Each structure stands twice: as structure tokens, then as C-alpha cells.
Amino acid sequence: MAVGGSVEQDLGLPDFSSSIYKDAYSRINAIVIEGEQEAHDNYISLGHLIPDQAEELERLARMELKHKKGFTACAKNLSVIADMDFAKEFFSPLHGNFQAALAEGKVVTCLLIQAILIEAFAISAYHIYIPVADPFARKITEGVVKDEYTHLNYGQEWLKANLESSRGELEQANRVNLPLVRKMLEQVAGDAAVLHMDQEDLMADFMTSYQEALTDIGFTTREIAKMATAALLG
């Protein structure tokens, strides 16, 4: 155990030096690294669909690469090798749906997946992780989460400005992709628990961020409840 391990335990924190923690962290950290890389690639791709926004989208993409470097440093700090194969498989369903929508020029679906769903997913995970993170990772993550709100806001503002023409596609994309996020949260629950991140807290925080985004876009509480029910209950 690292020096100060007993203090960590007294504070209710995990033992950052234990083999079980490092094993779980290798997958959680990889998910974060891959998520930031996917976000970079997705924003660059969106720039081709929304040429007049390409410069802003490129700026958002650069921020995601900065985040990736930060989280890569977090793994190095704990002497952990991120399990990137696991992470690529983890994101595969959402990645595939984004690429399919991109090929069809479906800006609304692409924005929902990246700028709303994935960003809300990231924000919720970071919120739950920060209180139980090691000091180095906590500092990195606190800086990242502030940026992610900027990205979430970008998607909200675009979709809000184009809501009437986007409503039908938004509802359909939500129906298809929201269940994938629920499955992703369930898939990572065991590893998250090792890091002292509660699955119910993760899901609750995600749904709060997601519902707030939909409210800001212009959906009513009733519409959001209907969309969530249709997506999550099939």
C-alpha cells in the first residue's frame, strides 16, 4: 500500500495502489481516453456537415485532444496501462451509429450522439469520479468537466435553433441511442464500483444532465418523459 493509504481508507477513498483498483482503472481510464479521441474525431467530422461551424468545431476537437493527454497522464501517474481494446469495443455501438448517420449527412443524429449523449455521459462520470479520484486525477478531471459543459452547450444551442426541423429526427435518434448509453453504464458498473463510483448515482446524474439539455433545446417535461420511457423501456 502506498504511503497514506490508511488516510485514503479513512476518507472513504479506494486504495489507489491495489492491484484490483489498477485492474479496474485500466478499463475506466481507457474508456475516458477513447471517449476523448472519439469526440475529437466526431467534431472534426461534424465540421464537414456544418461548414460554417467548422472553425468552432475544430476548436472543440482540439480541447478533446488536450483532455486525452491529461487522462493518459493520469494512467501513467498510477503506473497503469489503459486497456484500449476494451474501450474501442465499449464505444463500438455508438461509434457505428455516428458513422452511419455521418454517411447519410444526418447532422441532428450526429449532434445528439456526440454533443448531447456522449457529453452528458462524460459529465456524469466525471461528477461521480472527482470525489473519489486520486489527487492528480482529481485536478485533471476538474479542469476537463468545465470544458465538457462548453461542448454540451454547443449541441444544445444548435439543436435549439433548429428544433422544429430537427424534432422528428431527434426523437428517433434518441429512441435508438439512449438505450446504448444505459447499456454502457451497466457494462462498466463493476469496474466503477471498485473506484467507489455508484451505478445508480451515475445513471441519475446522466439522466439529469441529459434531461436538462433537452429542456434547454425546447422539449417539455412531458415530452422528455415520453422520450425517455420509449427509449429505455423499448
Side-chain angles (χ1 to χ4, degrees):
M1 179 180 294
V3 175
S6 60
V7 175
E8 291 163 5
Q9 312 245 311
D10 289 343
L11 294 174
L13 298 177
D15 178 359
F16 305 123
S17 65
S18 71
S19 59
I20 187 171
Y21 184 91
K22 290 186 176 184
D23 177 60
Y25 191 84
S26 71
R27 289 180 290 277
I28 296 291
N29 178 256
I31 288 170
V32 175
I33 291 172
E34 177 64 20
E36 300 294 353
Q37 181 64 57
E38 296 245 350
H40 167 272
D41 297 346
N42 290 349
Y43 283 126
I44 293 296
S45 296
L46 277 162
H48 298 301
L49 295 186
I50 320 174
D52 64 318
Q53 294 285 304
E55 186 174 338
E56 173 63 10
L57 287 160
E58 186 175 338
R59 185 181 74 84
L60 297 180
R62 287 196 301 269
M63 292 167 72
E64 302 291 14
L65 281 190
K66 182 183 72 172
H67 300 165
K68 178 185 175 182
K69 290 178 182 177
F71 288 125
T72 300
C74 290
K76 185 177 181 180
N77 181 61
L78 292 178
S79 301
V80 169
I81 297 174
D83 187 345
M84 297 310 299
D85 289 339
F86 172 84
K88 289 182 186 300
E89 182 65 26
F90 180 81
F91 274 103
S92 180
L94 275 183
H95 175 82
N97 285 359
F98 182 93
Q99 291 300 315
L102 179 66
E104 295 177 34
K106 291 185 173 180
V107 177
V108 174
T109 299
C110 287
L111 277 173
L112 178 83
I113 292 173
Q114 175 56 54
I116 305 297
L117 276 173
I118 293 179
E119 297 296 356
F121 178 93
I123 287 169
S124 65
Y126 299 155
H127 277 168
I128 305 304
Y129 174 62
I130 285 170
V132 294
D134 67 90
F136 182 87
R138 183 181 302 120
K139 185 175 180 180
I140 295 289
T141 310
E142 285 173 344
V144 169
V145 78
K146 294 175 184 176
D147 289 345
E148 301 298 10
Y149 276 109
T150 302
H151 302 173
L152 183 65
N153 186 65
Y154 175 86
Q156 288 176 198
E157 291 303 314
W158 194 96
L159 292 168
K160 183 195 301 185
N162 296 274
L163 177 58
E164 291 315 307
S165 60
S166 304
R167 185 180 290 272
E169 186 180 333
L170 262 175
E171 291 176 350
Q172 174 59 24
N174 175 79
R175 188 175 299 113
V176 172
N177 292 287
L178 183 56
L180 296 181
V181 177
R182 181 187 63 179
K183 290 176 184 176
M184 290 164 74
L185 286 166
E186 291 172 350
Q187 186 180 349
V188 80
D191 287 331
V194 173
L195 272 61
H196 291 198
M197 299 166 66
D198 182 77
Q199 181 187 2
E200 290 185 5
D201 289 343
L202 277 167
M203 191 63 187
D205 200 287
F206 165 74
M207 289 304 298
T208 296
S209 294
Y210 189 51
Q211 289 169 5
E212 286 176 351
L214 291 179
T215 298
D216 185 72
I217 288 167
F219 286 96
T220 66
T221 302
R222 182 180 179 84
E223 288 172 328
I224 294 169
K226 186 176 179 181
M227 289 168 66
T229 300
L232 297 178
L233 298 183

